[in-house]
Amino acid sequence: MASSSPEPAAAAEADGSVQIRRLEIADREKGFLSLLSQLSSCPDLTASQFAGCFNDLAALGDDHVILVAEDPSAAPEQRILSTGCLFVERKFLRGCGKVGHVEDIVVDAAARGRGLGLRVVRRLVEIAKEAGCYKVILDCTPELRAYYAKCGFVEKGIQMAVYF
Amino acid sequence: MASSSPEPAAAAEADGSVQIRRLEIADREKGFLSLLSQLSSCPDLTASQFAGCFNDLAALGDDHVILVAEDPSAAPEQRILSTGCLFVERKFLRGCGKVGHVEDIVVDAAARGRGLGLRVVRRLVEIAKEAGCYKVILDCTPELRAYYAKCGFVEKGIQMAVYF
């Protein structure tokens, strides 16, 4: 599920104090995991566990991008206000084509209404386009249809899941 | 979209003559790409292009699995009757959890009703479970809800897309 934390429809787009950038290993100390826990189960990770996961993902290079929105004026452990992920799937279809998958979009409950989630999603879509993807897809609840429509997404089908 | 080529609801499950196995580079000569073209645009690839794509995907190891159903009794260029893909997404969520994505399920038009697609999907789900995924997801049209329900999938949300 790409997001369960939408911002209001009237969200302001501009928020110059907040920088959108790639995840860094130091973001563990800036509230990245507690932000993710607002989306789904996200147990705390030790610095070593975090580094292991970070390095596994970094090894995927541009096929796996995590963006964060950082507010440098916030308390150190509360600086990461939004995040989102793009991973690139490679296929035989479409002449060895690539598809971008947007996952794990979340905006801190106290930072909603500032357009930060939309800024993250739009940048992820740009990155996918620059990487040569022929499309970007995501899964969400029906309530978020209008939210993602602001980023150019249209409804294409249903998502199904098996949980173990 | 995981599939636009369902089999009838009364599909037989047993088809001992057909083997489900991982994609091999020789499958280019056994109709793999023409099968995929029944699902979506799939221009032919030269042997060199195919090998390049195959090796890129093989480099992902168990994080990217393509299964095929082969009928050894069919004409050489028509032996691949069904295919499906699993790729494993790694997350920070769920304690560095993993999610399986099922993609590109297709059954040859002349081989539907033999349960081959279900065999491929079920095996992909097993592989995801063995790999430690906490869930497997796919996107499809609403018409395929009952088809994937046979493999334990339940509807979770909507799929949205941007095409470039």
Side-chain angles (χ1 to χ4, degrees), chain A residues 22-28 32 45-66, chain B residues 63 90-92 96:
Chain A
R22 290 204 181 201
L23 181 73
E24 297 169 357
I25 207 159
D27 292 331
R28 176 176 171 274
F32 174 67
L45 300 172
T46 66
S48 171
Q49 288 170 328
F50 189 91
C53 190
F54 182 92
N55 290 329
D56 283 349
L57 294 172
L60 301 174
D62 288 341
D63 280 356
H64 194 283
V65 175
I66 298 176
Chain B
D63 280 356
R90 291 161 184 271
K91 292 181 180 282
F92 279 97
C96 305

PDB file of all heavy atoms in Angstrom, chain A residues 22-28 32 45-66, chain B residues 63 90-92 96:
ATOM      1  N   ARG A  22      17.804  12.160  -1.089  1.00  0.00           N
ATOM      2  CA  ARG A  22      17.880  10.719  -0.892  1.00  0.00           C
ATOM      3  C   ARG A  22      18.139  10.378   0.576  1.00  0.00           C
ATOM      4  O   ARG A  22      18.798  11.137   1.294  1.00  0.00           O
ATOM      5  CB  ARG A  22      18.995  10.123  -1.751  1.00  0.00           C
ATOM      6  CG  ARG A  22      18.652  10.166  -3.235  1.00  0.00           C
ATOM      7  CD  ARG A  22      19.419   9.091  -3.982  1.00  0.00           C
ATOM      8  NE  ARG A  22      19.121   9.147  -5.400  1.00  0.00           N
ATOM      9  CZ  ARG A  22      19.301   8.132  -6.230  1.00  0.00           C
ATOM     10  NH1 ARG A  22      19.788   6.984  -5.788  1.00  0.00           N
ATOM     11  NH2 ARG A  22      19.015   8.240  -7.505  1.00  0.00           N
ATOM     12  N   LEU A  23      17.634   9.225   0.977  1.00  0.00           N
ATOM     13  CA  LEU A  23      17.891   8.737   2.335  1.00  0.00           C
ATOM     14  C   LEU A  23      19.389   8.601   2.580  1.00  0.00           C
ATOM     15  O   LEU A  23      20.134   8.140   1.712  1.00  0.00           O
ATOM     16  CB  LEU A  23      17.234   7.359   2.494  1.00  0.00           C
ATOM     17  CG  LEU A  23      17.384   6.688   3.871  1.00  0.00           C
ATOM     18  CD1 LEU A  23      16.495   7.374   4.903  1.00  0.00           C
ATOM     19  CD2 LEU A  23      17.051   5.195   3.798  1.00  0.00           C
ATOM     20  N   GLU A  24      19.791   9.012   3.763  1.00  0.00           N
ATOM     21  CA  GLU A  24      21.183   8.836   4.192  1.00  0.00           C
ATOM     22  C   GLU A  24      21.196   7.967   5.449  1.00  0.00           C
ATOM     23  O   GLU A  24      20.199   7.898   6.178  1.00  0.00           O
ATOM     24  CB  GLU A  24      21.806  10.207   4.505  1.00  0.00           C
ATOM     25  CG  GLU A  24      21.862  11.110   3.275  1.00  0.00           C
ATOM     26  CD  GLU A  24      22.236  12.554   3.631  1.00  0.00           C
ATOM     27  OE1 GLU A  24      22.403  12.860   4.840  1.00  0.00           O
ATOM     28  OE2 GLU A  24      22.341  13.372   2.698  1.00  0.00           O
ATOM     29  N   ILE A  25      22.325   7.364   5.701  1.00  0.00           N
ATOM     30  CA  ILE A  25      22.402   6.435   6.832  1.00  0.00           C
ATOM     31  C   ILE A  25      22.174   7.170   8.154  1.00  0.00           C
ATOM     32  O   ILE A  25      21.652   6.605   9.119  1.00  0.00           O
ATOM     33  CB  ILE A  25      23.744   5.656   6.786  1.00  0.00           C
ATOM     34  CG1 ILE A  25      23.594   4.303   7.482  1.00  0.00           C
ATOM     35  CG2 ILE A  25      24.894   6.484   7.321  1.00  0.00           C
ATOM     36  CD1 ILE A  25      24.640   3.286   7.068  1.00  0.00           C
ATOM     37  N   ALA A  26      22.503   8.451   8.192  1.00  0.00           N
ATOM     38  CA  ALA A  26      22.296   9.249   9.410  1.00  0.00           C
ATOM     39  C   ALA A  26      20.821   9.528   9.688  1.00  0.00           C
ATOM     40  O   ALA A  26      20.469  10.015  10.775  1.00  0.00           O
ATOM     41  CB  ALA A  26      23.059  10.569   9.301  1.00  0.00           C
ATOM     42  N   ASP A  27      19.950   9.198   8.736  1.00  0.00           N
ATOM     43  CA  ASP A  27      18.529   9.486   8.938  1.00  0.00           C
ATOM     44  C   ASP A  27      17.885   8.583   9.984  1.00  0.00           C
ATOM     45  O   ASP A  27      16.775   8.862  10.440  1.00  0.00           O
ATOM     46  CB  ASP A  27      17.774   9.406   7.608  1.00  0.00           C
ATOM     47  CG  ASP A  27      18.180  10.527   6.663  1.00  0.00           C
ATOM     48  OD1 ASP A  27      18.565  11.605   7.164  1.00  0.00           O
ATOM     49  OD2 ASP A  27      18.124  10.329   5.438  1.00  0.00           O
ATOM     50  N   ARG A  28      18.583   7.520  10.363  1.00  0.00           N
ATOM     51  CA  ARG A  28      18.086   6.717  11.487  1.00  0.00           C
ATOM     52  C   ARG A  28      17.955   7.592  12.732  1.00  0.00           C
ATOM     53  O   ARG A  28      17.014   7.411  13.524  1.00  0.00           O
ATOM     54  CB  ARG A  28      19.042   5.550  11.769  1.00  0.00           C
ATOM     55  CG  ARG A  28      18.643   4.727  12.990  1.00  0.00           C
ATOM     56  CD  ARG A  28      19.539   3.524  13.187  1.00  0.00           C
ATOM     57  NE  ARG A  28      19.266   2.885  14.473  1.00  0.00           N
ATOM     58  CZ  ARG A  28      19.825   3.250  15.621  1.00  0.00           C
ATOM     59  NH1 ARG A  28      20.687   4.260  15.660  1.00  0.00           N
ATOM     60  NH2 ARG A  28      19.514   2.639  16.746  1.00  0.00           N
ATOM     61  N   PHE A  32      13.540   8.617  10.943  1.00  0.00           N
ATOM     62  CA  PHE A  32      13.052   7.940   9.745  1.00  0.00           C
ATOM     63  C   PHE A  32      12.187   6.725  10.088  1.00  0.00           C
ATOM     64  O   PHE A  32      11.112   6.531   9.508  1.00  0.00           O
ATOM     65  CB  PHE A  32      14.256   7.520   8.875  1.00  0.00           C
ATOM     66  CG  PHE A  32      13.895   6.690   7.675  1.00  0.00           C
ATOM     67  CD1 PHE A  32      13.164   7.237   6.620  1.00  0.00           C
ATOM     68  CD2 PHE A  32      14.287   5.358   7.581  1.00  0.00           C
ATOM     69  CE1 PHE A  32      12.838   6.469   5.507  1.00  0.00           C
ATOM     70  CE2 PHE A  32      13.964   4.589   6.466  1.00  0.00           C
ATOM     71  CZ  PHE A  32      13.237   5.151   5.429  1.00  0.00           C
ATOM     72  N   LEU A  45      15.336  -0.502  14.698  1.00  0.00           N
ATOM     73  CA  LEU A  45      16.507  -1.268  14.264  1.00  0.00           C
ATOM     74  C   LEU A  45      17.730  -0.685  14.948  1.00  0.00           C
ATOM     75  O   LEU A  45      17.848   0.540  15.096  1.00  0.00           O
ATOM     76  CB  LEU A  45      16.681  -1.148  12.741  1.00  0.00           C
ATOM     77  CG  LEU A  45      15.522  -1.651  11.865  1.00  0.00           C
ATOM     78  CD1 LEU A  45      15.776  -1.288  10.400  1.00  0.00           C
ATOM     79  CD2 LEU A  45      15.339  -3.154  12.011  1.00  0.00           C
ATOM     80  N   THR A  46      18.648  -1.556  15.347  1.00  0.00           N
ATOM     81  CA  THR A  46      19.914  -1.053  15.866  1.00  0.00           C
ATOM     82  C   THR A  46      20.656  -0.354  14.734  1.00  0.00           C
ATOM     83  O   THR A  46      20.343  -0.534  13.548  1.00  0.00           O
ATOM     84  CB  THR A  46      20.789  -2.202  16.395  1.00  0.00           C
ATOM     85  OG1 THR A  46      21.158  -3.022  15.279  1.00  0.00           O
ATOM     86  CG2 THR A  46      20.054  -3.038  17.432  1.00  0.00           C
ATOM     87  N   ALA A  47      21.665   0.410  15.114  1.00  0.00           N
ATOM     88  CA  ALA A  47      22.467   1.096  14.091  1.00  0.00           C
ATOM     89  C   ALA A  47      23.051   0.087  13.113  1.00  0.00           C
ATOM     90  O   ALA A  47      23.096   0.321  11.894  1.00  0.00           O
ATOM     91  CB  ALA A  47      23.585   1.905  14.754  1.00  0.00           C
ATOM     92  N   SER A  48      23.457  -1.065  13.634  1.00  0.00           N
ATOM     93  CA  SER A  48      24.052  -2.092  12.773  1.00  0.00           C
ATOM     94  C   SER A  48      23.009  -2.702  11.834  1.00  0.00           C
ATOM     95  O   SER A  48      23.265  -2.899  10.642  1.00  0.00           O
ATOM     96  CB  SER A  48      24.674  -3.175  13.657  1.00  0.00           C
ATOM     97  OG  SER A  48      25.064  -4.274  12.878  1.00  0.00           O
ATOM     98  N   GLN A  49      21.829  -2.994  12.383  1.00  0.00           N
ATOM     99  CA  GLN A  49      20.756  -3.533  11.535  1.00  0.00           C
ATOM    100  C   GLN A  49      20.356  -2.519  10.468  1.00  0.00           C
ATOM    101  O   GLN A  49      20.134  -2.867   9.304  1.00  0.00           O
ATOM    102  CB  GLN A  49      19.532  -3.870  12.400  1.00  0.00           C
ATOM    103  CG  GLN A  49      19.707  -5.089  13.294  1.00  0.00           C
ATOM    104  CD  GLN A  49      18.585  -5.231  14.298  1.00  0.00           C
ATOM    105  OE1 GLN A  49      18.005  -4.243  14.773  1.00  0.00           O
ATOM    106  NE2 GLN A  49      18.266  -6.467  14.637  1.00  0.00           N
ATOM    107  N   PHE A  50      20.255  -1.263  10.885  1.00  0.00           N
ATOM    108  CA  PHE A  50      19.873  -0.209   9.934  1.00  0.00           C
ATOM    109  C   PHE A  50      20.908  -0.112   8.821  1.00  0.00           C
ATOM    110  O   PHE A  50      20.567  -0.041   7.632  1.00  0.00           O
ATOM    111  CB  PHE A  50      19.745   1.129  10.665  1.00  0.00           C
ATOM    112  CG  PHE A  50      19.138   2.222   9.808  1.00  0.00           C
ATOM    113  CD1 PHE A  50      17.757   2.429   9.801  1.00  0.00           C
ATOM    114  CD2 PHE A  50      19.930   3.034   9.024  1.00  0.00           C
ATOM    115  CE1 PHE A  50      17.191   3.431   9.017  1.00  0.00           C
ATOM    116  CE2 PHE A  50      19.374   4.037   8.235  1.00  0.00           C
ATOM    117  CZ  PHE A  50      18.005   4.238   8.240  1.00  0.00           C
ATOM    118  N   ALA A  51      22.170  -0.135   9.203  1.00  0.00           N
ATOM    119  CA  ALA A  51      23.231  -0.023   8.195  1.00  0.00           C
ATOM    120  C   ALA A  51      23.198  -1.209   7.242  1.00  0.00           C
ATOM    121  O   ALA A  51      23.406  -1.057   6.030  1.00  0.00           O
ATOM    122  CB  ALA A  51      24.591   0.068   8.883  1.00  0.00           C
ATOM    123  N   GLY A  52      22.899  -2.385   7.783  1.00  0.00           N
ATOM    124  CA  GLY A  52      22.825  -3.566   6.926  1.00  0.00           C
ATOM    125  C   GLY A  52      21.729  -3.436   5.888  1.00  0.00           C
ATOM    126  O   GLY A  52      21.934  -3.705   4.696  1.00  0.00           O
ATOM    127  N   CYS A  53      20.556  -3.000   6.336  1.00  0.00           N
ATOM    128  CA  CYS A  53      19.423  -2.820   5.419  1.00  0.00           C
ATOM    129  C   CYS A  53      19.727  -1.708   4.419  1.00  0.00           C
ATOM    130  O   CYS A  53      19.487  -1.850   3.208  1.00  0.00           O
ATOM    131  CB  CYS A  53      18.176  -2.513   6.239  1.00  0.00           C
ATOM    132  SG  CYS A  53      16.646  -2.551   5.307  1.00  0.00           S
ATOM    133  N   PHE A  54      20.267  -0.599   4.928  1.00  0.00           N
ATOM    134  CA  PHE A  54      20.619   0.538   4.061  1.00  0.00           C
ATOM    135  C   PHE A  54      21.587   0.093   2.965  1.00  0.00           C
ATOM    136  O   PHE A  54      21.400   0.420   1.784  1.00  0.00           O
ATOM    137  CB  PHE A  54      21.244   1.650   4.909  1.00  0.00           C
ATOM    138  CG  PHE A  54      21.602   2.888   4.139  1.00  0.00           C
ATOM    139  CD1 PHE A  54      20.693   3.936   4.029  1.00  0.00           C
ATOM    140  CD2 PHE A  54      22.832   3.012   3.513  1.00  0.00           C
ATOM    141  CE1 PHE A  54      21.016   5.088   3.306  1.00  0.00           C
ATOM    142  CE2 PHE A  54      23.164   4.148   2.788  1.00  0.00           C
ATOM    143  CZ  PHE A  54      22.248   5.184   2.695  1.00  0.00           C
ATOM    144  N   ASN A  55      22.590  -0.670   3.343  1.00  0.00           N
ATOM    145  CA  ASN A  55      23.607  -1.071   2.362  1.00  0.00           C
ATOM    146  C   ASN A  55      23.054  -2.075   1.353  1.00  0.00           C
ATOM    147  O   ASN A  55      23.415  -2.044   0.173  1.00  0.00           O
ATOM    148  CB  ASN A  55      24.839  -1.620   3.076  1.00  0.00           C
ATOM    149  CG  ASN A  55      25.595  -0.508   3.799  1.00  0.00           C
ATOM    150  OD1 ASN A  55      25.598   0.637   3.368  1.00  0.00           O
ATOM    151  ND2 ASN A  55      26.206  -0.846   4.922  1.00  0.00           N
ATOM    152  N   ASP A  56      22.170  -2.977   1.822  1.00  0.00           N
ATOM    153  CA  ASP A  56      21.523  -3.916   0.885  1.00  0.00           C
ATOM    154  C   ASP A  56      20.757  -3.151  -0.186  1.00  0.00           C
ATOM    155  O   ASP A  56      20.787  -3.499  -1.371  1.00  0.00           O
ATOM    156  CB  ASP A  56      20.544  -4.828   1.634  1.00  0.00           C
ATOM    157  CG  ASP A  56      21.252  -5.932   2.404  1.00  0.00           C
ATOM    158  OD1 ASP A  56      22.463  -6.126   2.205  1.00  0.00           O
ATOM    159  OD2 ASP A  56      20.576  -6.589   3.221  1.00  0.00           O
ATOM    160  N   LEU A  57      20.050  -2.121   0.254  1.00  0.00           N
ATOM    161  CA  LEU A  57      19.246  -1.344  -0.703  1.00  0.00           C
ATOM    162  C   LEU A  57      20.134  -0.462  -1.574  1.00  0.00           C
ATOM    163  O   LEU A  57      19.900  -0.325  -2.780  1.00  0.00           O
ATOM    164  CB  LEU A  57      18.214  -0.500   0.059  1.00  0.00           C
ATOM    165  CG  LEU A  57      17.159  -1.340   0.786  1.00  0.00           C
ATOM    166  CD1 LEU A  57      16.291  -0.463   1.678  1.00  0.00           C
ATOM    167  CD2 LEU A  57      16.299  -2.100  -0.206  1.00  0.00           C
ATOM    168  N   ALA A  58      21.167   0.121  -0.968  1.00  0.00           N
ATOM    169  CA  ALA A  58      22.066   0.980  -1.744  1.00  0.00           C
ATOM    170  C   ALA A  58      22.769   0.190  -2.839  1.00  0.00           C
ATOM    171  O   ALA A  58      23.101   0.726  -3.907  1.00  0.00           O
ATOM    172  CB  ALA A  58      23.097   1.632  -0.814  1.00  0.00           C
ATOM    173  N   ALA A  59      22.962  -1.121  -2.597  1.00  0.00           N
ATOM    174  CA  ALA A  59      23.631  -1.961  -3.599  1.00  0.00           C
ATOM    175  C   ALA A  59      22.794  -2.081  -4.870  1.00  0.00           C
ATOM    176  O   ALA A  59      23.309  -2.455  -5.923  1.00  0.00           O
ATOM    177  CB  ALA A  59      23.908  -3.345  -3.021  1.00  0.00           C
ATOM    178  N   LEU A  60      21.510  -1.778  -4.766  1.00  0.00           N
ATOM    179  CA  LEU A  60      20.649  -1.830  -5.953  1.00  0.00           C
ATOM    180  C   LEU A  60      20.789  -0.581  -6.811  1.00  0.00           C
ATOM    181  O   LEU A  60      20.177  -0.484  -7.878  1.00  0.00           O
ATOM    182  CB  LEU A  60      19.187  -2.028  -5.526  1.00  0.00           C
ATOM    183  CG  LEU A  60      18.914  -3.313  -4.718  1.00  0.00           C
ATOM    184  CD1 LEU A  60      17.471  -3.345  -4.227  1.00  0.00           C
ATOM    185  CD2 LEU A  60      19.223  -4.554  -5.558  1.00  0.00           C
ATOM    186  N   GLY A  61      21.577   0.378  -6.355  1.00  0.00           N
ATOM    187  CA  GLY A  61      21.858   1.576  -7.140  1.00  0.00           C
ATOM    188  C   GLY A  61      20.584   2.335  -7.477  1.00  0.00           C
ATOM    189  O   GLY A  61      19.681   2.467  -6.636  1.00  0.00           O
ATOM    190  N   ASP A  62      20.498   2.805  -8.712  1.00  0.00           N
ATOM    191  CA  ASP A  62      19.348   3.617  -9.111  1.00  0.00           C
ATOM    192  C   ASP A  62      18.085   2.794  -9.308  1.00  0.00           C
ATOM    193  O   ASP A  62      17.031   3.351  -9.634  1.00  0.00           O
ATOM    194  CB  ASP A  62      19.683   4.386 -10.387  1.00  0.00           C
ATOM    195  CG  ASP A  62      20.671   5.512 -10.112  1.00  0.00           C
ATOM    196  OD1 ASP A  62      20.812   5.917  -8.933  1.00  0.00           O
ATOM    197  OD2 ASP A  62      21.301   5.989 -11.073  1.00  0.00           O
ATOM    198  N   ASP A  63      18.177   1.456  -9.136  1.00  0.00           N
ATOM    199  CA  ASP A  63      16.962   0.644  -9.198  1.00  0.00           C
ATOM    200  C   ASP A  63      16.192   0.695  -7.881  1.00  0.00           C
ATOM    201  O   ASP A  63      15.115   0.084  -7.782  1.00  0.00           O
ATOM    202  CB  ASP A  63      17.307  -0.819  -9.535  1.00  0.00           C
ATOM    203  CG  ASP A  63      17.554  -0.998 -11.031  1.00  0.00           C
ATOM    204  OD1 ASP A  63      17.389  -0.024 -11.786  1.00  0.00           O
ATOM    205  OD2 ASP A  63      17.925  -2.124 -11.437  1.00  0.00           O
ATOM    206  N   HIS A  64      16.727   1.363  -6.877  1.00  0.00           N
ATOM    207  CA  HIS A  64      16.015   1.496  -5.600  1.00  0.00           C
ATOM    208  C   HIS A  64      16.354   2.848  -4.981  1.00  0.00           C
ATOM    209  O   HIS A  64      17.498   3.073  -4.584  1.00  0.00           O
ATOM    210  CB  HIS A  64      16.386   0.361  -4.646  1.00  0.00           C
ATOM    211  CG  HIS A  64      15.458   0.255  -3.479  1.00  0.00           C
ATOM    212  ND1 HIS A  64      15.520   1.107  -2.397  1.00  0.00           N
ATOM    213  CD2 HIS A  64      14.416  -0.569  -3.245  1.00  0.00           C
ATOM    214  CE1 HIS A  64      14.558   0.785  -1.543  1.00  0.00           C
ATOM    215  NE2 HIS A  64      13.875  -0.225  -2.025  1.00  0.00           N
ATOM    216  N   VAL A  65      15.360   3.711  -4.929  1.00  0.00           N
ATOM    217  CA  VAL A  65      15.566   5.076  -4.445  1.00  0.00           C
ATOM    218  C   VAL A  65      14.601   5.348  -3.295  1.00  0.00           C
ATOM    219  O   VAL A  65      13.387   5.159  -3.445  1.00  0.00           O
ATOM    220  CB  VAL A  65      15.307   6.096  -5.573  1.00  0.00           C
ATOM    221  CG1 VAL A  65      15.391   7.525  -5.045  1.00  0.00           C
ATOM    222  CG2 VAL A  65      16.287   5.883  -6.724  1.00  0.00           C
ATOM    223  N   ILE A  66      15.135   5.771  -2.162  1.00  0.00           N
ATOM    224  CA  ILE A  66      14.281   6.248  -1.072  1.00  0.00           C
ATOM    225  C   ILE A  66      14.538   7.737  -0.913  1.00  0.00           C
ATOM    226  O   ILE A  66      15.690   8.165  -0.744  1.00  0.00           O
ATOM    227  CB  ILE A  66      14.582   5.514   0.252  1.00  0.00           C
ATOM    228  CG1 ILE A  66      14.308   4.014   0.104  1.00  0.00           C
ATOM    229  CG2 ILE A  66      13.733   6.098   1.385  1.00  0.00           C
ATOM    230  CD1 ILE A  66      14.667   3.195   1.346  1.00  0.00           C
TER     231      ILE A  66
ATOM    232  N   ASP B  63      16.060 -12.786  -5.815  1.00  0.00           N
ATOM    233  CA  ASP B  63      15.139 -11.641  -5.742  1.00  0.00           C
ATOM    234  C   ASP B  63      14.365 -11.453  -7.042  1.00  0.00           C
ATOM    235  O   ASP B  63      13.508 -10.560  -7.124  1.00  0.00           O
ATOM    236  CB  ASP B  63      15.908 -10.350  -5.425  1.00  0.00           C
ATOM    237  CG  ASP B  63      16.224 -10.244  -3.935  1.00  0.00           C
ATOM    238  OD1 ASP B  63      15.790 -11.123  -3.161  1.00  0.00           O
ATOM    239  OD2 ASP B  63      16.900  -9.276  -3.541  1.00  0.00           O
ATOM    240  N   ARG B  90      12.699  -5.300  -1.035  1.00  0.00           N
ATOM    241  CA  ARG B  90      13.196  -5.211   0.338  1.00  0.00           C
ATOM    242  C   ARG B  90      12.830  -3.849   0.926  1.00  0.00           C
ATOM    243  O   ARG B  90      12.910  -2.835   0.247  1.00  0.00           O
ATOM    244  CB  ARG B  90      14.705  -5.415   0.353  1.00  0.00           C
ATOM    245  CG  ARG B  90      15.084  -6.846   0.014  1.00  0.00           C
ATOM    246  CD  ARG B  90      16.508  -7.009  -0.420  1.00  0.00           C
ATOM    247  NE  ARG B  90      16.765  -8.384  -0.820  1.00  0.00           N
ATOM    248  CZ  ARG B  90      17.167  -9.344   0.017  1.00  0.00           C
ATOM    249  NH1 ARG B  90      17.388  -9.066   1.291  1.00  0.00           N
ATOM    250  NH2 ARG B  90      17.352 -10.569  -0.416  1.00  0.00           N
ATOM    251  N   LYS B  91      12.417  -3.881   2.172  1.00  0.00           N
ATOM    252  CA  LYS B  91      11.932  -2.684   2.849  1.00  0.00           C
ATOM    253  C   LYS B  91      12.640  -2.478   4.184  1.00  0.00           C
ATOM    254  O   LYS B  91      13.242  -3.398   4.724  1.00  0.00           O
ATOM    255  CB  LYS B  91      10.431  -2.846   3.157  1.00  0.00           C
ATOM    256  CG  LYS B  91       9.498  -2.862   1.952  1.00  0.00           C
ATOM    257  CD  LYS B  91       8.066  -3.015   2.425  1.00  0.00           C
ATOM    258  CE  LYS B  91       7.069  -3.034   1.289  1.00  0.00           C
ATOM    259  NZ  LYS B  91       6.765  -1.708   0.736  1.00  0.00           N
ATOM    260  N   PHE B  92      12.499  -1.263   4.731  1.00  0.00           N
ATOM    261  CA  PHE B  92      12.825  -1.045   6.139  1.00  0.00           C
ATOM    262  C   PHE B  92      11.662  -1.505   7.022  1.00  0.00           C
ATOM    263  O   PHE B  92      11.870  -1.973   8.142  1.00  0.00           O
ATOM    264  CB  PHE B  92      13.116   0.437   6.404  1.00  0.00           C
ATOM    265  CG  PHE B  92      14.509   0.853   6.026  1.00  0.00           C
ATOM    266  CD1 PHE B  92      14.768   1.458   4.808  1.00  0.00           C
ATOM    267  CD2 PHE B  92      15.583   0.618   6.871  1.00  0.00           C
ATOM    268  CE1 PHE B  92      16.056   1.832   4.452  1.00  0.00           C
ATOM    269  CE2 PHE B  92      16.874   0.987   6.530  1.00  0.00           C
ATOM    270  CZ  PHE B  92      17.112   1.598   5.317  1.00  0.00           C
ATOM    271  N   CYS B  96      13.125  -4.797   8.286  1.00  0.00           N
ATOM    272  CA  CYS B  96      13.830  -5.139   7.032  1.00  0.00           C
ATOM    273  C   CYS B  96      13.090  -6.254   6.307  1.00  0.00           C
ATOM    274  O   CYS B  96      13.700  -7.248   5.861  1.00  0.00           O
ATOM    275  CB  CYS B  96      15.284  -5.529   7.278  1.00  0.00           C
ATOM    276  SG  CYS B  96      16.229  -4.294   8.190  1.00  0.00           S
TER     277      CYS B  96
END
